[in-house]
């Protein structure tokens, strides 16, 4: 990390090819995120916010441009290096939760720890997080028995259990009432403060955006304001 | 944790798990049944050969112990044999083939009985009038014939006079004259059996007979029994290999299809695991473990099912085939189908583990 930037993109473009039609989801995105920063990303539906996250996490390659994660260029990493990045450094809260349907809430969280080679008992403070998220009494249920908001909170718990350096949260409060939203935002704020976690959060909610250090806006695949 | 995921996955789709397991099991059963039949049928033949009670056998040079051969020896030979030292008794049979794996034997009933210690009748008794036929218990069960029933063989109707305990060489017995007349082999024999005063003299008698009867096959009970092996029937060996090959191929193909669709269904879950930082090897490991578990369950089911096929065979065709449970083949059959199953899962698993994670996540 030479310039204190943990994430930097330069001229990032992404074109999805659907049959004969090309959809340009990103049309040249330049973003710089400092280590320990809490950044909110806002913008209309279809403006490319989720696409940006997917590229940052190495889930899909960019069509053009560069992504530097902690100074290393993502596009030049091997697939296994990108896998390691997700295992050790970046975690997601997906817009669609993406919980494993066959596993209980407890095991959905446990599998993330297992994959990251985090064995031994869970940090006691995490039990408190589960209580704050209001899912501590649903630990033995399968995701399909949970409401959308509950599934969303499980996805958040799974994403933060390993205390990753970078958290990419795609509308983490999208399905939550105001009380739960406030709890989730409080938890993110605490993580950001206590362990210096870098957080990127996509949101449509101005109140949520207000929790962040900085807000950027995207429109039509570009960043339009800082 | 990995095994928890594996078991939860198997439990989550019980019907698919059950069907895949059954498919693997049927592969195991196919192999075990076939091997069991070839072993069992030969063992049964050995037992029946022993049951004749003879010490030295003589056949025409063109005959084989497994096939029936032709009735090529003259009856006059019997008299010559009984004049030889140490030979107590000599009797001949005419064996006529009725098609695949079925024969009718013409025997000198009185001498045949003296040789084997007497047929043990389960019902009825020996020949008493013209047109009588004797059958063993397996033949009676397979053809559903009781004493007094009509039986059509060699274009003639016969009356079942007696049913005897199996283990005496022949399944179907007629007086030798009758078979010779019907098959135009008057005065001819297919097989000659001799009983010695003492089995210690077997080698000496065989050596002496061989020097006098150049154009005949002469051998002892041990030699006869040792010829009832799969090696002695090359066709059976090839057949076994072909069917095992087919069952491996069939099993692998079925498991391939089952696992391929299972993996497709799970594309999204695989994407989730990869988004959490799971390596392709981890994903592959989970799918392979699932397959291994299904293979083991399938093998157990397949072994159980081979007892069922044996039971069915005993009920329906005991006289034609005997299926044995060949324990040595349990691990072999299990391993063979397991390898097939693994081959079937590796391609879709590898495909799923290496495809674009975002594409996997958007799959539904
Ligand atoms: N897998 C895909 N294949 C084709 N087009 C896609 C794909 N994913 C996204 N797109 C398109 O890319 C554009 C940006 O999508 P993206 O999901 O990044 O928007 P977003 O800003 O997250 O919107 P929202 O606020 O509704 O979540 C959209 O026009 C979308 O239709
Ligand atoms: Mg989105």
């Amino acid at each position: 990390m030479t310039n204190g930037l943990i994430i930097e993109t330069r001229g990032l473009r992404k074109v999805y090819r659907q049959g004969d039609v090309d959809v340009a989801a990103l049309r040249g995105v330049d973003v710089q995120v400092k280590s320990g920063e809490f950044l909110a990303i806002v913008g209309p539906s279809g403006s490319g916010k989720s696409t940006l996250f997917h590229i940052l996490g190495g889930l899909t390659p960019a069509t053009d441009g560069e992504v530097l994660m902690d100074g290393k260029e993502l596009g030049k990493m091997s697939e296994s290096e990108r896998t390691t990045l997700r295992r050790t450094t970046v975690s997601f809260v997906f817009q669609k939760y993406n919980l494993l349907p066959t596993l209980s809430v407890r095991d959905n969280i446990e599998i993330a720890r297992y994959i990251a080679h985090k064995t031994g008992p869970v940090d006691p403070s995490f039990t408190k997080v589960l209580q704050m998220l209001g899912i501590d009494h649903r630990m033995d249920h399968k995701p399909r028995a949970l409401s959308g908001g509950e599934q969303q909170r499980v996805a958040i718990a799974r994403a933060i259990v390993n205390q990753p350096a970078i958290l990419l949260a795609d509308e983490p409060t999208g399905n939550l009432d105001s009380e739960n939203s406030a709890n989730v935002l409080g938890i993110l704020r605490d993580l950001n403060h206590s362990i210096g976690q870098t957080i990127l959060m996509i949101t449509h909610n101005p109140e949520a955006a207000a929790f962040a250090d900085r807000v950027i806006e995207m429109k039509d695949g570009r960043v339009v304001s800082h | 944790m990995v095994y928890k995921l594996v078991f939860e996955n198997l439990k989550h789709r019980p019907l698919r798990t059950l069907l895949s397991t059954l498919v693997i099991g049927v592969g195991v059963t196919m192999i075990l049944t076939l091997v069991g039949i070839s072993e069992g049928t030969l063992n049964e033949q050995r037992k029946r050969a022993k049951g004749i009670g003879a010490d030295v056998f003589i056949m025409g040079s063109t005959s084989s112990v497994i096939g029936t051969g032709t009735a090529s020896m003259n009856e006059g030979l019997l008299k010559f044999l009984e004049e030889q030292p140490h030979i107590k008794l000599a009797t001949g049979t005419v064996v006529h083939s009725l098609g695949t794996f079925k024969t009718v034997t013409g025997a000198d009933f009185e001498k045949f009985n003296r040789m084997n210690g007497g047929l043990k009748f389960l019902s009825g008794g020996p020949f008493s009038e013209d047109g009588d036929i004797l059958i063993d218990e397996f033949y009676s069960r397979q053809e559903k014939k009781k004493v007094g029933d009509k039986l059509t063989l060699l274009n003639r109707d016969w009356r079942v006079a007696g049913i005897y305990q199996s283990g005496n060489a022949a399944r179907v017995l007629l007086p030798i004259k009758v078979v010779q007349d019907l098959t135009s082999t008057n005065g001819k024999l297919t097989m000659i059996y001799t009983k010695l005063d003492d089995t210690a003299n077997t080698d000496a008698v065989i050596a002496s007979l061989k020097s006098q009867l150049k154009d005949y096959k002469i051998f002892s009970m041990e030699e006869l029994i040792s010829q009832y092996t799969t090696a002695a029937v090359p066709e059976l060996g090839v057949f076994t290999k072909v069917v095992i090959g087919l069952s491996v191929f069939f099993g692998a193909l079925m498991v391939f299809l089952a696992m391929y669709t299972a993996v497709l269904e799970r594309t999204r879950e695989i994407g989730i695991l990869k988004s959490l930082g799971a390596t392709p090897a981890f994903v592959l490991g989970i799918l392979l473990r699932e397959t291994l578990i299904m293979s083991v369950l399938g093998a157990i089911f397949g072994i159980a099912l081979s007892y069922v096929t044996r039971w069915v065979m005993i009920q329906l065709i005991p006289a034609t085939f005997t299926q044995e449970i060949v324990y040595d083949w349990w691990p072999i059959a299990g391993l063979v189908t397991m390898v097939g199953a693994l081959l079937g899962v590796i391609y879709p698993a590898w495909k799923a583990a290496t495809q674009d994670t975002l594409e996997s996540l958007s799959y539904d």
Side-chain angles (χ1 to χ4, degrees), chain A residues 59 83 86 98 102 107 114, chain B residues 2 4 9 268 274 277 358:
Chain A
L59 300 181
T83 299
R86 286 195 294 272
N98 282 337
T102 58
D107 292 334
Y114 182 87
Chain B
V2 171
K4 202 161 195 178
N9 285 343
R268 191 183 171 86
K274 286 173 69 191
L358 186 61

Side-chain angles (χ1 to χ4, degrees), chain A residues 16 54 59-61 83 86-87 92 94 96 98-103 107 110-111 114-115 142 144 158, chain B residues 1-2 4-5 8-9 12-13 268-269 272-280 282 356-358 361:
Chain A
Y16 288 111
H54 295 147
L59 300 181
T60 191
T83 299
R86 286 195 294 272
R87 192 168 63 234
F92 289 94
F94 289 101
K96 291 175 183 163
N98 282 337
L99 301 175
L100 289 165
T102 58
L103 294 183
D107 292 334
E110 197 54 38
I111 192 97
Y114 182 87
I115 289 172
K142 296 270 167 76
R144 66 166 175 276
R158 180 181 65 181
Chain B
M1 192 64 221
V2 171
K4 202 161 195 178
L5 184 58
E8 291 298 335
N9 285 343
H12 194 67
R13 296 169 186 81
R268 191 183 171 86
E269 292 161 53
I272 295 171
L273 288 172
K274 286 173 69 191
S275 78
L276 294 172
T279 58
F282 180 90
D356 187 287
T357 312
L358 186 61
L361 284 172

Side-chain angles (χ1 to χ4, degrees), chain B residues 27 31 83 98 131 138 149 201 231 246 261 265 296 316 347 357-358:
Chain B
I31 297 174
E83 283 164 359
L98 298 171
F138 290 157
D149 283 354
N201 297 321
L246 277 178
T261 42
E265 266 182 14
V296 170
L316 298 181
Y347 171 68
T357 312
L358 186 61

